[in-house]
Amino acid sequence: MGRRNGPKRQKKFLENWGSLPSELLDSILESLPSIFDYIQFSLVCKHWRKVALNQKEQRLRSCHKQLAPLLLLNSTKNSNQTRALYSVTQGKVVHRFNLPNHRYDEDTWLCGSSHGWLAYADASFMVTLVNPFTRGTIRLPQVMEVVKSSRPECNSEFQISKVVLSANPSLFPNDYEVLVIFENDDGVTKELAHFKSGDNSWTRSDRRMIEGLDIIDATYYKGRFVALTGFDSDPDHGVSKVHPSIECISHPHELFLQKTSFLVKSTCEDLLLVNTSLDMGRCFGGTRIFKLGRSCGPQWVKMESFGTDALFLDNMNAICVSASYSGCHPNSIYLLEGVVNLSSGEETWFKRPITWGTRSITWIAPTMAFSI
């Protein structure tokens, strides 16, 4: 009797789960930080799939704050084409993919990750965006003409050092912007270039406004790109507009001798400056955190901690996520080789050692821009 009633009971059980109200299912979805759990949720039944699809756009907008970044690693099988994504919270490789379209070699280099996309540049000043989760590729217009228009003397030693996106192109294919930072053979940044989706070419920043400035880092914040400079860009306010979409803000003078500085947006929408000395990713020479305040003009206010956030650093990027959802340790800094808790001072090093100086390794924020 039990066997005959088994399928009926199972069907009735599924029907009951399928009739759960959408509001309840929405709350369940919000508590799932893992992409893979989200996919499994959508496979339960048609009703659950519909709820998941309806919430997908909102989920895409917020997931970068909730999911722990993954480490991009070279594959031992084919270092030129194959890459692996390593989860430090799970302690394993969770995804492998091939770089699409063309070969990546010594003439092509990684220049950062932004909004779940990897940015590659080559010797011809071509920028290619690659999404490792969807294998999507965006070939941006060549930047060389913009550089030559302002610096006819530029040569092969003058190269792209960092690429920053305003938004995820998978989410906003017609409304995203790109900032490119150049550096010369002395390692000093001298140029910025800007591109907006739908444009046919790049525009450059006002060279007169950035003359003599060393641009240390940049991020997208509240509708504009903000670039951190090594010297006062304005003696009165410390801010100057060098392009309709780009502002420069000065680095605090007392911190300028520190080796590394990053701009990053916290999950509370604050703009943070992280200043630290790093030695192969293992040495913290007095890490200091500042929040941009504007009570009497722009100023950097010292903070004691990241609170419930966790910060991920490599030699190109800084990513801030909520430790409450991502499974990370709060008030901690994750490097390529390990994690340091700023509250306790405890250091934990990953089992798989990774060289800090390798530019082909970076943190990347997982995205959910795929069909479910």
Side-chain angles (χ1 to χ4, degrees):
M1 180 69 70
R3 290 183 179 179
R4 289 195 299 269
N5 290 337
K8 293 182 179 180
R9 290 179 179 177
Q10 184 179 17
K11 182 178 180 181
K12 185 174 181 61
F13 174 79
L14 291 174
E15 288 175 350
N16 291 337
W17 279 101
S19 62
L20 290 176
S22 299
E23 293 79 8
L24 176 59
L25 295 177
D26 279 335
S27 65
I28 295 174
L29 278 172
E30 291 173 359
S31 67
L32 298 178
S34 168
I35 289 177
F36 309 103
D37 291 341
Y38 194 91
I39 295 173
Q40 291 299 317
F41 177 99
S42 69
L43 297 177
V44 171
C45 63
K46 290 182 178 180
H47 177 53
W48 286 37
R49 176 181 175 84
K50 181 179 179 180
V51 172
L53 287 172
N54 289 338
Q55 202 197 73
K56 182 180 178 182
E57 181 172 342
Q58 179 180 353
R59 180 73 171 184
L60 281 166
R61 293 173 185 269
S62 63
C63 69
H64 70 281
K65 299 180 183 179
Q66 300 178 353
L67 301 174
L70 303 173
L71 265 179
L72 174 73
L73 302 175
N74 291 329
S75 172
T76 56
K77 296 179 180 179
N78 186 341
S79 59
N80 285 330
Q81 288 295 120
T82 307
R83 298 292 185 269
L85 296 179
Y86 180 83
S87 168
V88 296
T89 57
Q90 300 180 50
K92 64 180 182 180
V93 171
V94 295
H95 181 57
R96 296 183 188 274
F97 67 100
N98 292 324
L99 292 171
N101 290 346
H102 62 85
R103 185 178 182 86
Y104 291 85
D105 51 26
E106 63 275 5
D107 292 326
T108 304
W109 58 90
L110 180 69
C111 37
S113 71
S114 187
H115 292 276
W117 289 71
L118 299 169
Y120 288 89
D122 60 31
S124 66
F125 287 77
M126 184 70 72
V127 175
T128 302
L129 304 178
V130 177
N131 189 316
F133 308 98
T134 65
R135 299 193 75 248
T137 302
I138 300 175
R139 297 274 286 175
L140 299 176
Q142 194 177 42
V143 197
M144 180 59 113
E145 295 306 317
V146 174
V147 179
K148 282 187 173 181
S149 66
S150 61
R151 295 185 179 274
E153 74 280 5
C154 75
N155 53 41
S156 59
E157 297 301 323
F158 193 80
Q159 67 177 27
I160 296 170
S161 61
K162 185 168 184 177
V163 176
V164 183
L165 301 179
S166 66
N168 184 347
S170 299
L171 254 185
F172 305 98
N174 302 313
D175 189 23
Y176 69 91
E177 300 172 60
V178 186
L179 178 70
V180 163
I181 303 175
F182 297 90
E183 66 180 29
N184 60 20
D185 53 358
D186 296 326
V188 177
T189 300
K190 294 296 185 182
E191 294 290 344
L192 296 170
H194 175 269
F195 173 81
K196 183 174 177 58
S197 56
D199 291 348
N200 295 321
S201 61
W202 296 76
T203 57
R204 62 181 176 87
S205 56
D206 188 336
R207 184 178 178 184
R208 296 168 300 174
M209 298 295 294
I210 64 172
E211 189 69 35
L213 299 180
D214 178 19
I215 298 171
I216 301 169
D217 194 32
T219 190
Y220 193 79
Y221 181 67
K222 291 188 175 180
R224 69 196 187 284
F225 287 104
V226 178
L228 180 68
T229 67
F231 302 97
D232 277 337
S233 49
D234 186 308
D236 297 321
H237 302 97
V239 172
S240 62
K241 198 165 187 178
V242 300
H243 182 278
S245 300
I246 308 171
E247 281 187 358
C248 284
I249 187 166
S250 61
H251 193 288
H253 280 193
E254 67 273 16
L255 301 179
F256 185 62
L257 294 180
Q258 290 281 13
K259 292 182 181 179
T260 307
S261 292
F262 296 96
L263 288 180
V264 62
K265 184 172 66 174
S266 74
T267 60
C268 296
E269 303 297 317
D270 292 320
L271 183 63
L272 305 182
L273 187 158
V274 181
N275 188 264
T276 187
S277 292
L278 300 170
D279 182 11
M280 297 300 290
R282 296 182 68 97
C283 176
F284 280 79
T287 298
R288 285 175 282 188
I289 312 154
F290 296 83
K291 180 173 70 173
L292 182 64
R294 293 184 180 272
S295 56
C296 299
Q299 57 181 316
W300 293 110
V301 181
K302 188 175 181 180
M303 300 175 63
E304 297 301 323
S305 75
F306 290 111
T308 58
D309 283 354
L311 183 74
F312 290 75
L313 293 180
D314 56 54
N315 61 345
M316 291 178 283
N317 300 304
I319 301 175
C320 197
V321 299
S322 171
S324 303
Y325 295 95
S326 63
C328 306
H329 299 293
N331 195 29
S332 296
I333 299 180
Y334 286 75
L335 301 172
L336 298 180
E337 291 193 349
V339 55
V340 178
N341 187 298
L342 296 183
S343 300
S344 64
E346 181 181 358
E347 301 177 355
T348 304
W349 304 108
F350 304 142
K351 295 180 180 179
R352 183 174 182 174
I354 302 163
T355 302
W356 169 262
T358 304
R359 288 184 62 87
S360 60
I361 298 175
T362 190
W363 296 104
I364 181 169
T367 63
M368 297 183 62
F370 48 75
S371 299
I372 59 173

